[in-house]
Amino acid sequence: MTAELVRGQNHPLSQARLEVRISAGTPLVAAAALGDESGRIHGVEWVAHPGQPTQPGLEVSRQAAADHRLAVDLDAVPETVHRVSVLLALPVGGTGPVRFAAVAAPFVAVTGLDGEEMANYTITGLEAESAVVALELYRRQGAWKVRAVGQGYAGGLAELLTDQGLSQAHQLAGSINDAVAQGVARSVQAPPPRTADGDRSRQAAAPALGPDQGGTAPQTGPVPPMSPYGGQTPGGPGQSGVPGQPAPQPSYPAAAPDPDAVTQPSAPTAGGPIDYSHPRRQNAAPPPPPPTAPPAAPGQPARPVAGDATGWSMEERLYNQVWGMFEDLARTTAAYRSAVDFAESRMDKELEQVLSDPRSRIGGQGDAAREAARARHAELVAQAREALDRDVAQLAAEADVVEPALPPAYARWDNPVWHGYRVPMEIPMALRLGDLHLPEADRVRIPMLVRLPLERGLWIDSGAAGSLGDSFADSATMTRLAMETAVAHAARLLSVYPAGEFTVHVIDPAGSGAQALVPLVQTGVLAAPPALGAAGVADVLGRLTQRVDLVQMAVRGGAADSLPPGFDTSQQLLIVNDFPHGFDDRAVNQLRYLADEGPAFGVHLMMVADREQSSGYGPLLDPLWRSLLRLTPVADDHLADPWVGHAWTYEPALVPPGSQILQQVLQQVAIARTKLT
């Protein structure tokens, strides 16, 4: 029976090999500290954290996440250790919450390797604190117990570690924050948390018709803004969220502002600030999906249907469905890997018991015991694989019906939808940058969708790194592929924005990207010819920096009418090739400024660069690289999901060889622009 602990309560532990599972509604940093009898941490080597995830008997996650699984082997901790403390903290330096009062109460459970829960604890009562000792495992008279602690610290990890007696607390807290920032840089950003009414549903329900289904959105009084989609609830698939959190009631306000909306400029109005909110973003829980397929036979999985998710429009439902597939695959793979780890741990323990008995080391009895242990291991792995294959088959069937139904912004370049392309009248919710997949489910490709307007810049890595294929691309080939990838992404961005609402600038100091840039140059969709040399670099950066300054002052000062007449409020994309060639110190500082401040005011970066070529700047450029979403021109497993932190293989969205679709789309964009003048 599971013990539901309250603060200060303890419970005996019956196993030495444990998992500490943490669920929260927002990404948290998880760490574990070893302590002596008084709870004192003797040194940084006694703390397992994202920068150093393994210590004797401990293993933690390498990044901040909403869900964590910490591995603990109490038999493997040193004899001098009498306490193992589980530490949680909110990431610093980002845009997320800075105190626990602003997030759902974290839920912590101690389980065996088989998943059986021994004790759990919901950490309540936190206010201004940003770090907390969640619980501790402690040794008393040779036996281990778990105690619910819930001690919070407003000063963050530094104050927490100082209170634990660590003399290098501030240095270690800084190292942890740096490691978390690096993890964030490689993580695909998840949509906002989904409400209880916004769960991805696969059952037929009486639909509340959205505007695109012949219905009208209900008009009621304003309610707190709610996202149309978020991640899986902390309790796992099918559950309703963190215990004790009430489900919000769906309501559609007529004109409620959304403080979490991604910014996008619109035409300024006299006497008021520029409206940077996304015109398609909803502030209330959308209706459930309509029952578009007949119910499945009893005992059979539901038939996949495109748009089988919540949303006010088919575009929004498809977006939510794709993210639901992404999360489902992440979690089912995590369950499979956990089951395999348990099977291997159990076999190792059984073999260790066999070898510890001298009578069974030799002879038929020992051989039989070893064979029995291996057979049990194979049986457990086979059961886990069967469950994974069943889930993957359902996701593959769903992907087969979803992919052909995707709109151009979400579709691959080889999708027939592009042959009927027309310049849109509205900005889509998101854009496809490529595909993601895992080695256990190679046949399922998840579209990598990012919200529009872009919330962070893009870095197309042209470094001569080895791909996941059989060969290694040389430096020249990688540089060419990186620039072609950048052009494909820029063309996609141009194609999904209404005419005149997206402008592309190019800096190519040495002219090395001229061949790849031909589609953009010949169709006339660039704001100006690519800037060459140091003078061109300074001119483009100076104009875009000034633009950010002007819009920033107008928005923050509430003086939108002070902008120059005819000011271009379209989104701006700056493609930078061959960095740092042609850049002096002033240009580098301007580039960092655009990376930090630009996205919020309509200026976005797309860097095509090899980080090694700028190594002479040292750590000065580390914040720049971390602020950008790294993409590769070849398949590479460098991206992580925001739920369990799997390493996903990313494949860029490239135009098929010999296809003219990119040129045709850009010609449509150019024609639509000429009609505006």
Side-chain angles (χ1 to χ4, degrees):
M1 179 179 293
T2 302
E4 297 184 358
L5 305 180
V6 297
R7 182 174 297 178
Q9 188 177 0
N10 59 46
H11 184 74
L13 297 173
S14 58
Q15 301 180 36
R17 294 184 177 181
L18 308 167
E19 275 192 350
V20 179
R21 301 185 179 184
I22 301 159
S23 298
T26 190
L28 298 178
V29 181
L34 304 175
D36 58 18
E37 289 183 324
S38 62
R40 182 174 177 271
I41 303 173
H42 284 222
V44 294
E45 68 278 2
W46 280 40
V47 182
H49 56 83
Q52 183 61 48
T54 58
Q55 296 294 355
L58 299 176
E59 183 173 1
V60 302
S61 174
R62 294 179 178 269
Q63 67 180 48
D67 295 334
H68 290 275
R69 291 189 178 188
L70 280 59
V72 181
D73 185 353
L74 297 174
D75 289 339
V77 301
E79 288 294 329
T80 54
V81 171
H82 290 263
R83 294 189 191 181
V84 178
S85 300
V86 176
L87 318 177
L88 304 178
L90 293 168
V92 301
T95 58
V98 296
R99 58 194 190 105
F100 276 106
V103 304
F107 178 77
V108 187
V110 179
T111 74
L113 294 183
D114 56 358
E116 183 178 354
E117 199 170 286
M118 303 177 191
N120 63 49
Y121 172 43
T122 301
I123 309 173
T124 59
L126 298 178
E127 294 293 338
E129 297 88 345
S130 59
V132 61
V133 179
L135 52 79
E136 64 180 12
L137 314 176
Y138 65 98
R139 182 169 14 206
R140 182 65 55 84
Q141 297 178 349
W144 285 92
K145 296 183 178 182
V146 57
R147 177 188 291 121
V149 180
Q151 176 63 53
Y153 296 85
L157 279 173
E159 182 182 352
L160 185 155
L161 294 170
T162 299
D163 192 48
Q164 300 275 325
L166 181 63
S167 57
Q168 308 101 317
H170 288 273
Q171 296 92 321
L172 180 57
S175 299
I176 294 174
N177 293 332
D178 288 343
V180 171
Q182 294 174 8
V184 170
R186 62 183 290 268
S187 178
V188 180
Q189 186 172 0
R194 177 170 32 188
T195 64
D197 290 321
D199 288 342
R200 190 162 87 104
S201 172
R202 299 191 181 280
Q203 60 186 4
L209 297 181
D212 67 322
Q213 301 166 272
T216 58
Q219 304 293 322
T220 67
V223 295
M226 292 182 287
S227 164
Y229 178 79
Q232 183 75 41
T233 54
Q239 298 187 23
S240 60
V242 179
Q245 294 296 319
Q249 298 301 314
S251 178
Y252 184 73
D258 185 357
D260 298 321
V262 185
T263 59
Q264 163 191 313
S266 59
T269 57
I274 296 177
D275 180 12
Y276 274 78
S277 63
H278 195 295
R280 303 285 302 282
R281 199 64 50 82
Q282 301 292 341
N283 294 327
T292 54
Q300 297 296 320
R303 298 180 184 179
V305 177
D308 185 16
T310 58
W312 289 106
S313 66
M314 176 57 78
E315 177 196 343
E316 187 176 350
R317 292 197 293 271
L318 286 168
Y319 172 82
N320 292 342
Q321 186 173 16
V322 167
W323 269 94
M325 293 164 58
F326 187 14
E327 183 176 2
D328 287 350
L329 184 55
R331 293 188 184 280
T332 193
T333 304
Y336 168 74
R337 293 179 180 179
S338 179
V340 171
D341 289 344
F342 168 70
E344 292 178 351
S345 175
R346 176 173 174 174
M347 182 178 67
D348 291 343
K349 187 174 182 179
E350 291 177 349
L351 292 176
E352 183 180 342
Q353 291 176 346
V354 171
L355 294 175
S356 65
D357 187 353
R359 294 171 298 178
S360 60
R361 290 180 186 171
I362 57 176
Q365 183 179 359
D367 293 339
R370 282 188 284 270
E371 288 299 322
R374 295 189 180 98
R376 283 190 288 270
H377 170 268
E379 180 182 3
L380 290 173
V381 172
Q383 291 175 353
R385 187 72 214 191
E386 181 182 0
L388 175 67
D389 289 343
R390 182 176 61 249
D391 292 342
V392 168
Q394 186 172 354
L395 285 169
E398 186 173 11
D400 289 341
V401 299
V402 168
E403 188 68 46
L406 295 177
Y410 301 175
R412 290 195 294 252
W413 283 111
D414 59 358
N415 192 311
V417 71
W418 284 105
H419 293 286
Y421 168 78
R422 293 293 182 270
V423 177
M425 300 297 292
E426 295 180 316
I427 304 170
M429 290 184 63
L431 182 82
R432 186 175 190 157
L433 293 179
D435 292 339
L436 299 169
H437 64 91
L438 291 170
E440 291 89 346
D442 188 65
R443 58 178 171 153
V444 179
R445 295 296 198 271
I446 304 295
M448 179 181 168
L449 303 180
V450 296
R451 277 289 180 95
L452 291 179
L454 295 174
E455 300 178 5
R456 56 194 294 201
L458 305 177
W459 166 29
I460 316 300
D461 190 355
S462 61
S467 70
L468 294 178
D470 296 330
S471 62
F472 289 83
D474 57 42
S475 177
T477 301
M478 286 292 290
T479 300
R480 175 180 58 81
L481 291 175
M483 199 59 197
E484 291 176 354
T485 302
V487 170
H489 289 325
R492 184 178 287 265
L493 281 162
L494 282 163
S495 70
V496 301
Y497 272 81
E501 294 193 19
F502 197 83
T503 304
V504 177
H505 310 264
V506 176
I507 289 178
D508 187 20
S512 59
Q515 184 62 38
L517 290 168
V518 165
L520 298 178
V521 174
Q522 287 187 348
T523 54
V525 295
L526 295 179
L532 301 174
V537 171
D539 176 61
V540 174
L541 290 178
R543 286 189 285 109
L544 290 178
T545 301
Q546 184 183 38
R547 183 190 189 280
V548 171
D549 288 339
L550 287 173
V551 178
Q552 191 178 63
M553 288 188 293
V555 171
R556 294 178 177 175
D561 54 347
S562 65
L563 288 172
F567 185 83
D568 179 14
T569 59
S570 66
Q571 295 280 304
Q572 310 284 312
L573 175 69
L574 173 60
I575 302 176
V576 179
N577 184 38
D578 207 17
F579 177 80
H581 183 82
F583 281 73
D584 56 19
D585 289 344
R586 175 181 172 81
V588 169
N589 288 330
Q590 288 176 320
L591 193 68
R592 288 187 56 186
Y593 175 75
L594 292 178
D596 293 339
E597 302 292 336
F601 301 99
V603 177
H604 311 279
L605 279 184
M606 184 184 292
M607 299 280 292
V608 183
D610 178 2
R611 186 171 182 175
E612 290 300 319
Q613 293 181 0
S614 61
S615 59
Y617 287 94
L620 175 67
L621 292 181
D622 286 350
L624 171 65
W625 302 119
R626 285 200 298 264
S627 69
L628 304 174
L629 176 61
R630 177 176 175 254
L631 303 175
T632 54
V634 294
D636 190 66
D637 58 349
H638 67 283
L639 290 176
D641 65 80
W643 301 287
V644 292
H646 293 317
W648 291 73
T649 298
Y650 165 79
E651 294 180 355
L654 299 178
V655 180
S659 173
Q660 298 298 311
I661 192 64
L662 186 142
Q663 287 84 350
Q664 295 171 14
V665 168
L666 290 178
Q667 287 170 2
Q668 293 267 12
V669 172
I671 292 172
R673 288 188 171 189
T674 59
K675 294 179 179 179
L676 296 177
T677 58

